[in-house]
Amino acid sequence: MDVNETAPPSDARAVVLVIDADKSFVKTCRQALEGEGYKIIVSPSGKQGLEAAKAEAPGVVLLDWKAADPSDIAGFDLLDELVDVNSDIVPVVATADATVDAAVEAMKMGVFDFLSKPVSPEKLLETVRQAVGISEMQREAETKEEKADKYDLLLEGLDVLGEAYSIGLEKRQFLDDLARLENVAKSNAASRGEAKTREEAIAEIHDDLLDADAIMWNYDFQKNALIQILLDVQEKFRWLPRHILNWISGRLNIPLKDILVIANFYEAFSTEPRGRHTIQVCTGTACHVRGATETLTRVSAALGIQPGETDAKQRFTLETVHCLGCCALAPVVQIGSQYYRDPSQSQLAKLINSLEGAGGAEEATTGKEA
Amino acid sequence: MSRIATPGDLVKLRDRLNAKRNAKATWLAVCAGTGCRACGAMALADKFEEEIEKRGIGDKVGVRRTGCHGLCERGPMVMVQPAGESYFGIHPENVPAVLDQVETGKGDVEQFRYLDEEGGKRVSKLSDVPFYKHQNRVLLENNLWGDASSIEDYIALGGYSALAKALTEMTPDAVLNEVKEAKLRGRGGGGFLAGRKWESVRKAEGEPKYVIVNADEGDPGAFMDGSLLEGTPHSVLEGLILGAYAIGAAEGFIYVRQEYPLARKHAQLAIDQAREYGLLGEDILGSNFSFDVKIHRGAGAFVSGESSALMSAIEGHVGEPRPKYVHTSEKGVWGKPSCLNNVETWANVPHIINKGAAWFKGMGTAESTGTKIFSLVGKVKNTGLVEVPMGITLRDIIFKIGGGVPAGKQFKAVQTGGPSGGVVPEALLDLPVDFDELTKVGSMMGSGGMIVMDTNTCMVDTARYYIRFLAHESCGKCVPCREGTRQMLNILDRIASGEGREDDLGLLEELAEFMQAASLCALGQSAPNPVASTLKYFRDEYEEHIREKRCRAGVCTALIAYEIDQSKCKSCGACQRACPAGAIDKGGKDGKVFTVVQEKCIKCGACFSACPDKFNAVTKVPALSIKR
Ligand SMILES: Cc1cc2nc3c(=O)[nH]c(=O)nc-3n(C[C@H](O)[C@H](O)[C@H](O)COP(=O)(O)O)c2cc1C
């Protein structure tokens, strides 16, 4: 491939990032590649390399398997993070530590080539050329994929329709069910006050249902594992959303009302959305005789919600719990994985504030708990 | 690790493991039970490992994260093994001192030794600490000496030798007979003879048969079962396998309460390890006997601990009890014969098989044999987990082991048996702990919760606490329990808020009788116990609430108010800062001292706790004395 020919539009793709503290290797890179029109960026550490990957969007990255500085990010972890920054990046490893195991491992992680140092300039150029080629192909494929055209979709639609007929599902019913799911998706997004595009809302419910399937899968879709499945759903979503219960009801062929009976019977389940943080006040007997009632009144006043309630912004849920098994700390309050013996008013205020900070950040990055 | 194929292999493995354990001269056993974890025990253990590596003494000193040591009040704690020296209230910054002591005998550790208040002396050995001296620790011993998540430690300490013995030397009948002969009674509350239950399941028609561990531990003031399962899960599992062998069961369940994540994790780990070692699964120890176990998580319902309810929960249904004429030993899980026993009951079995029924009967009383674990909590100095021989008096447990109530307060009563039990007053403290004796005085052994109460505990409030719990937990299937608990709660709420009527006590007694006679399961039948026993021994307190609108313990919030003594207040403002309701202002004496604005007060007691001891200006007074 002639790089110069495609230079203007694919300028970014011709960028090669070298994450290596090894000076002689860096020199080889410059000699072998710069003359051929590639733009070389050098970062002596993994951390700086990540920054550079964000700023410069290189198509190919050359990295050593081992870091010079043990506290630096390297190897697997570095690869992971690089891929997070840009999933199209094509990684090439060049290392003096080239064991077969490491090579196998690296290839499994999608490394394009594994070179043993010292590398000759010819070999280096050859490898980088191929890697850049791959990187360009990937990008092209992706732009195509991003804008699936109507005619491709029709083909896929025919496929789906055919399959629906093959299991005796009428088009009308199929479309109704689909529409229902879409409505749930939209109303879910709306009820959280989040302005989502239709596509986003649908992608979200799609993920939710996949999560529910993964949970049921663990129990071989057995009816009698219902309680265990619901416990996992509760853990994953922090409550039992109705659309998930409907889905489970369909998948396991259990009437929704039977599922709701169980959801309402057991303490562990919540059919209302819950806060990102749960504050538990132990009201076991030992805590009770040591003043848990007063503690609960104070915590409730500090949070501004009653036991069992979640605040309007879904930050906190206040709960009572019977015996956490650390009676020596009575009366005890559990926040996250931490236990506090009868926290004072100022301690509580501080704790709540620190959670709020964490909650805010979480909200900003993911919007919901992963 | 490959499978252990024969009992001989097990012995060889044990020797190897012991050699490995003995290769290090010293082990630091850090208590990693839930209680000590809550105080930072895991960080402590990590710090020990870090410091050991730094000092380069890893070949001589090792760290174990063990189950609950028992004396939760003084945690986090560490025991130096095998010497037996113990240090209490140890935090990461104290790690160098302990290691200095281990290395040179010259560490600055005196302050961390147990202070014996009576002799005023420091005690260095765990076995000399009064809390431990009067116990008889059989089941809890492994909690001290083995890493809670290690099957190797369990095997090294003699674990699975009972199973090997049973599978090679004993027929299922012989195992069953040994348990019958030992007169082991169920530790889950009822005290039913385990051997008899096993026998009826064995004889019942239907295959497969199931054995089940009840680790639901619904008693809201108890953590014995959780601590056993968390600290020495293999002993419960070994007991279960032995039971399965005796009964002829091929499958088992451990039903673990949702609120015990650590117990669940360790139980799962134990199952996985046992399977890997060939102690569960096909052809155990080459004996042809096959058995496997699954964990079932509870979802939080007290009634689910009841046997028929628990079994329906395992089937994936709502955990409601069934009428008792259908015995679960004949028709249990999926209509098959099923044997349900409590965690502690199962944990006793390996010891009985190893040491024999005669040894077991050597502990306890004629009809209540062996030991019993209690969680001793509430207004007692040494909060913790204790194991005592049956027949010991309540007084010995509370005063000799528990150290009595904290300074300045007076003992009032002890509650045993959880929500199904009752209170025992001072006058009856010399009662031996025995299934039948406790029932006679209106309480019960229960699963082992023991809540000590002092003069600051209100008996009306105590009854109300349990009834509120039971009204909430009643499954609602039968009327006597559902309506009975609700009406009792109404009446008790009324009394506690000063609206009680003269005939309320009679009404309570009537309700109690009706519920005992007519309820479907033991939840409803025993629900009146907390009311009946407090009424029996502390009727005057009820009468005071009704007639004088007074709560002498200062607990019932409607009957008390907080006041600031104008002459004692030094205007430090601690109360005002602590008040979450903005109910304290400088309205006192010329605007100089603080007062409580009664209309705003939510009675949370924050001011009371915040007022410095040296001023003691905030007081609780009867609500009636406050002029509105
Ligand atoms: C409402 C109710 C709750 C119970 N909760 C428990 C429990 O949490 N743990 C337990 O071991 N037994 C509990 N039991 C007792 C069980 O029904 C059953 O008798 C016991 O598990 C049998 O084991 P054992 O004979 O070894 O004691 C409960 C009983 C009732 C009526």
Side-chain angles (χ1 to χ4, degrees):
Chain A
M1 164 185 318
D2 192 339
V3 179
N4 287 324
E5 230 175 65
T6 51
S10 56
D11 196 28
R13 266 164 274 158
V15 175
V16 176
L17 172 62
V18 181
I19 306 180
D20 208 321
D22 174 352
K23 293 219 176 78
S24 79
F25 179 69
V26 170
K27 205 166 143 199
T28 312
C29 289
R30 288 197 190 283
Q31 279 172 355
L33 304 175
E34 267 174 350
E36 298 291 326
Y38 296 98
K39 182 176 172 195
I40 307 292
I41 301 159
V42 178
S43 299
S45 76
K47 281 178 199 140
Q48 290 168 348
L50 279 173
E51 291 309 312
K54 275 181 210 157
E56 308 276 347
V60 172
V61 58
L62 278 164
L63 67 159
D64 199 337
W65 201 236
K66 291 238 167 68
D69 168 8
S71 71
D72 190 21
I73 176 165
F76 268 132
D77 299 335
L78 180 54
L79 263 182
D80 256 354
E81 300 233 358
L82 281 168
V83 171
D84 270 354
V85 171
N86 171 9
S87 60
D88 294 331
I89 209 162
V90 179
V92 175
V93 170
T95 181
D97 245 349
T99 62
V100 174
D101 281 353
V104 170
E105 221 173 334
M107 293 313 217
K108 269 197 211 148
M109 291 203 51
V111 165
F112 174 68
D113 206 348
F114 196 89
L115 306 173
S116 173
K117 280 187 190 169
V119 190
S120 70
E122 296 76 36
K123 174 75 185 156
L124 193 65
L125 179 59
E126 172 64 22
T127 310
V128 168
R129 240 187 208 149
Q130 287 173 358
V132 168
I134 298 276
S135 149
E136 294 201 339
M137 258 154 49
Q138 267 181 4
R139 267 193 216 194
E140 272 164 32
E142 216 149 273
T143 25
K144 237 190 220 159
E145 226 172 78
E146 266 166 25
K147 290 260 174 292
D149 80 7
K150 179 176 132 189
Y151 301 97
D152 293 338
L153 285 179
L154 275 174
L155 283 178
E156 276 181 44
L158 279 177
D159 255 359
V160 172
L161 195 59
E163 281 186 44
Y165 286 141
S166 81
I167 61 164
L169 186 63
E170 284 307 312
K171 186 172 85 189
R172 185 57 182 280
Q173 195 196 339
F174 180 66
L175 291 181
D176 280 355
D177 284 350
L178 207 55
R180 207 168 295 134
L181 285 173
E182 184 189 2
N183 282 338
V184 172
K186 285 194 276 189
S187 75
N188 276 359
S191 75
R192 279 197 303 272
E194 290 165 13
K196 287 236 152 100
T197 64
R198 285 186 305 189
E199 295 97 293
E200 283 171 329
I202 285 174
E204 199 169 83
I205 195 170
H206 180 258
D207 286 352
D208 282 0
L209 299 180
L210 280 184
D211 285 343
D213 273 352
I215 288 171
M216 286 184 277
W217 180 265
N218 285 338
Y219 298 92
D220 294 336
F221 293 89
Q222 291 278 314
K223 270 186 195 187
N224 60 38
L226 179 62
I227 296 175
Q228 309 300 301
I229 290 169
L230 294 180
L231 281 168
D232 287 354
V233 170
Q234 171 79 36
E235 198 172 316
K236 173 106 200 154
F237 295 86
R238 296 195 315 267
W239 66 297
L240 304 179
R242 182 56 72 94
H243 64 283
I244 304 281
L245 297 186
N246 268 319
W247 188 253
I248 293 175
S249 161
R251 277 280 200 215
L252 301 184
N253 194 17
I254 302 175
L256 182 66
K257 76 170 191 342
D258 291 1
I259 297 182
L260 288 177
V261 167
I262 290 196
N264 289 321
F265 182 80
Y266 290 106
E267 208 78 19
F269 301 127
S270 164
T271 48
E272 301 282 322
R274 315 218 339 161
R276 282 184 293 279
H277 305 282
T278 302
I279 289 114
Q280 292 186 310
V281 178
C282 181
T283 52
T285 324
C287 286
H288 180 78
V289 302
R290 287 203 196 168
T293 311
E294 282 87 357
T295 306
L296 182 60
T297 311
R298 285 206 296 271
V299 175
S300 168
L303 289 169
I305 48 177
Q306 292 302 308
E309 288 181 356
T310 300
D311 70 329
K313 289 189 184 156
Q314 290 184 23
R315 289 169 305 173
F316 313 112
T317 299
L318 175 60
E319 260 186 2
T320 59
V321 52
H322 283 115
C323 203
L324 293 167
C326 41
C327 307
L329 288 179
V332 63
V333 177
Q334 184 177 10
I335 304 178
S337 57
Q338 294 292 313
Y339 299 78
Y340 304 91
R341 175 182 214 146
D342 200 16
S344 71
Q345 221 49 37
S346 58
Q347 210 181 341
L348 271 174
K350 228 182 268 162
L351 284 168
I352 292 167
N353 271 334
S354 71
L355 287 182
E356 224 169 323
E362 205 174 274
E363 195 171 37
T365 53
T366 61
K368 65 171 186 164
E369 184 126 299
Chain B
M1 173 62 214
S2 55
R3 281 173 60 96
I4 307 170
T6 66
D9 285 356
L10 181 67
V11 175
K12 277 188 222 142
L13 174 64
R14 178 169 302 121
D15 291 343
R16 269 211 314 282
L17 293 175
N18 269 317
K20 206 162 110 190
R21 275 167 69 97
N22 295 338
K24 289 188 188 183
T26 308
W27 287 91
L28 299 170
V30 178
C31 174
T34 296
C36 279
R37 277 179 192 227
C39 315
M42 293 312 264
L44 176 67
D46 292 347
K47 179 75 190 174
F48 268 118
E49 278 175 345
E50 192 188 310
E51 185 76 16
I52 286 170
E53 190 175 330
K54 212 157 88 191
R55 295 185 181 204
I57 51 174
D59 54 333
K60 285 176 282 189
V61 186
V63 175
R64 287 190 183 120
R65 291 165 180 79
T66 71
C68 174
H69 288 189
L71 189 43
C72 307
E73 190 72 44
R74 304 288 180 107
M77 63 186 106
V78 54
M79 180 186 185
V80 182
Q81 298 174 349
E85 289 190 5
S86 279
Y87 303 106
F88 299 90
I90 294 281
H91 294 281
E93 62 270 23
N94 313 126
V95 160
V98 174
L99 286 179
D100 287 349
Q101 175 69 10
V102 167
E103 279 196 280
T104 64
K106 295 201 189 91
D108 183 14
V109 291
E110 195 58 18
Q111 57 193 313
F112 307 121
R113 294 188 203 276
Y114 185 88
L115 177 66
D116 188 357
E117 283 177 14
E118 286 202 358
K121 276 202 303 252
R122 297 273 175 185
V123 183
S124 65
K125 285 210 165 186
L126 191 76
S127 48
D128 294 331
V129 172
F131 177 80
Y132 290 94
K133 209 157 60 184
H134 303 285
Q135 295 191 41
N136 185 357
R137 294 163 70 92
V138 176
L139 305 174
L140 288 177
E141 200 55 15
N142 277 341
N143 271 21
L144 280 178
W145 296 92
D147 196 306
S149 51
S150 160
I151 190 174
E152 297 198 343
D153 270 6
Y154 183 69
I155 291 176
L157 292 165
Y160 290 109
S161 56
L163 181 64
K165 177 176 172 184
L167 293 182
T168 49
E169 298 168 23
M170 299 169 82
T171 60
D173 270 329
V175 174
L176 179 61
N177 280 333
E178 202 66 39
V179 172
K180 262 172 88 178
E181 181 59 32
K183 292 199 193 168
L184 171 64
R185 292 174 73 167
R187 278 13 183 187
F192 194 79
L193 283 164
R196 197 183 301 163
K197 192 189 286 178
W198 289 21
E199 192 166 34
S200 54
V201 179
R202 185 178 158 78
K203 284 191 181 147
E205 282 191 26
E207 292 289 337
K209 295 184 163 102
Y210 298 101
V211 284
I212 307 162
V213 179
N214 190 343
D216 197 40
E217 191 148 70
D219 177 351
F223 56 104
M224 309 78 44
D225 295 344
S227 295
L228 265 183
L229 202 55
E230 174 186 298
T232 170
H234 283 285
S235 61
V236 181
L237 190 57
E238 187 181 1
L240 187 69
I241 306 173
L242 285 164
Y245 176 67
I247 290 164
E251 213 182 313
F253 296 96
I254 303 182
Y255 187 95
V256 189
R257 161 189 178 76
Q258 147 87 4
E259 291 85 340
Y260 285 165
L262 190 61
R264 190 170 81 218
K265 184 171 151 204
H266 285 184
Q268 185 63 57
L269 200 60
I271 291 173
D272 295 344
Q273 291 168 342
R275 224 178 261 146
E276 188 188 331
Y277 278 63
L279 297 161
L280 268 184
E282 299 289 316
D283 191 19
I284 297 171
L285 294 177
S287 66
N288 267 334
F289 170 64
S290 302
F291 174 69
D292 215 336
V293 182
K294 274 203 205 100
I295 289 192
H296 190 100
R297 280 172 290 163
F302 176 64
V303 74
S304 288
E306 193 273 342
S307 52
S308 60
L310 184 147
M311 294 187 195
S312 70
I314 289 182
E315 295 171 6
H317 303 302
V318 164
E320 279 177 356
R322 295 188 308 217
K324 260 290 171 228
Y325 54 79
V326 192
H327 288 293
T328 51
S329 44
E330 283 153 21
K331 285 196 169 24
V333 184
W334 292 297
K336 303 294 178 194
S338 305
C339 181
L340 174 73
N341 279 117
N342 170 261
V343 170
E344 193 182 335
T345 315
W346 291 114
N348 270 298
V349 176
H351 295 279
I352 293 173
I353 298 304
N354 262 333
K355 294 174 234 169
W359 162 82
F360 192 76
K361 283 192 289 189
M363 300 179 293
T365 61
E367 297 306 320
S368 298
T369 53
T371 62
K372 178 77 195 85
I373 305 179
F374 289 98
S375 52
L376 184 60
V377 298
K379 308 283 187 71
V380 62
K381 270 190 207 149
N382 302 328
T383 294
L385 207 60
V386 307
E387 183 176 355
V388 290
M390 298 269 194
I392 188 174
T393 63
L394 286 168
R395 192 182 299 282
D396 279 353
I397 299 181
I398 296 163
F399 290 91
K400 277 197 185 155
I401 297 175
V405 296
K409 296 286 175 338
Q410 239 188 327
F411 175 87
K412 187 183 224 171
V414 57
Q415 205 279 352
T416 66
S420 313
V423 296
V424 178
E426 164 98 60
L428 293 173
L429 275 190
D430 291 311
L431 210 66
V433 166
D434 168 303
F435 286 104
D436 314 300
E437 293 294 327
L438 283 172
T439 310
K440 270 187 220 156
V441 299
S443 181
M444 63 182 253
M445 177 83 92
S447 57
M450 192 173 273
I451 292 102
V452 180
M453 301 173 174
D454 66 7
T455 38
N456 282 4
T457 314
C458 168
M459 287 298 135
V460 175
D461 178 70
T462 300
R464 182 167 163 246
Y465 168 80
Y466 283 115
I467 296 299
R468 192 188 309 131
F469 176 83
L470 291 162
H472 180 72
E473 294 294 338
S474 168
C475 74
K477 189 168 176 175
C478 75
V479 177
C481 174
R482 184 183 67 225
E483 292 306 315
T485 50
R486 198 145 79 192
Q487 291 313 320
M488 275 191 163
L489 183 59
N490 277 343
I491 297 172
L492 290 168
D493 279 348
R494 198 152 72 207
I495 298 176
S497 58
E499 323 259 302
R501 307 178 198 140
E502 269 308 315
D503 60 354
D504 274 347
L505 302 186
L507 212 53
L508 281 175
E509 280 159 340
E510 237 174 84
L511 272 170
E513 215 171 298
F514 160 66
M515 288 163 70
Q516 268 154 3
S519 293
L520 181 66
C521 84
L523 189 150
Q525 289 155 13
S526 60
N529 287 357
V531 174
S533 71
T534 44
L535 258 180
K536 181 166 168 191
Y537 299 116
F538 299 95
R539 199 179 184 94
D540 51 339
E541 272 191 46
Y542 280 87
E543 287 167 352
E544 256 168 35
H545 280 73
I546 295 175
R547 291 177 196 156
E548 302 166 32
K549 318 286 175 220
R550 195 163 79 84
C551 172
R552 65 169 93 165
V555 171
C556 294
T557 41
L559 302 186
I560 57 152
Y562 289 93
E563 241 188 6
I564 297 172
D565 188 328
Q566 306 281 293
S567 63
K568 287 184 181 168
C569 178
K570 296 284 181 282
S571 309
C572 70
C575 53
Q576 191 181 36
R577 284 191 298 275
C579 179
I584 292 181
D585 65 16
K586 260 198 179 175
K589 221 167 53 188
D590 316 324
K592 284 208 184 92
V593 298
F594 289 96
T595 51
V596 178
V597 184
Q598 298 297 340
E599 291 72 26
K600 286 191 187 169
C601 177
I602 57 172
K603 298 185 185 175
C604 69
C607 52
F608 190 74
S609 325
C611 184
D613 284 344
K614 57 182 184 230
F615 304 150
N616 235 340
V618 181
T619 52
K620 275 188 201 176
V621 296
L624 276 185
S625 69
I626 299 279
K627 289 179 291 292
R628 297 241 163 193

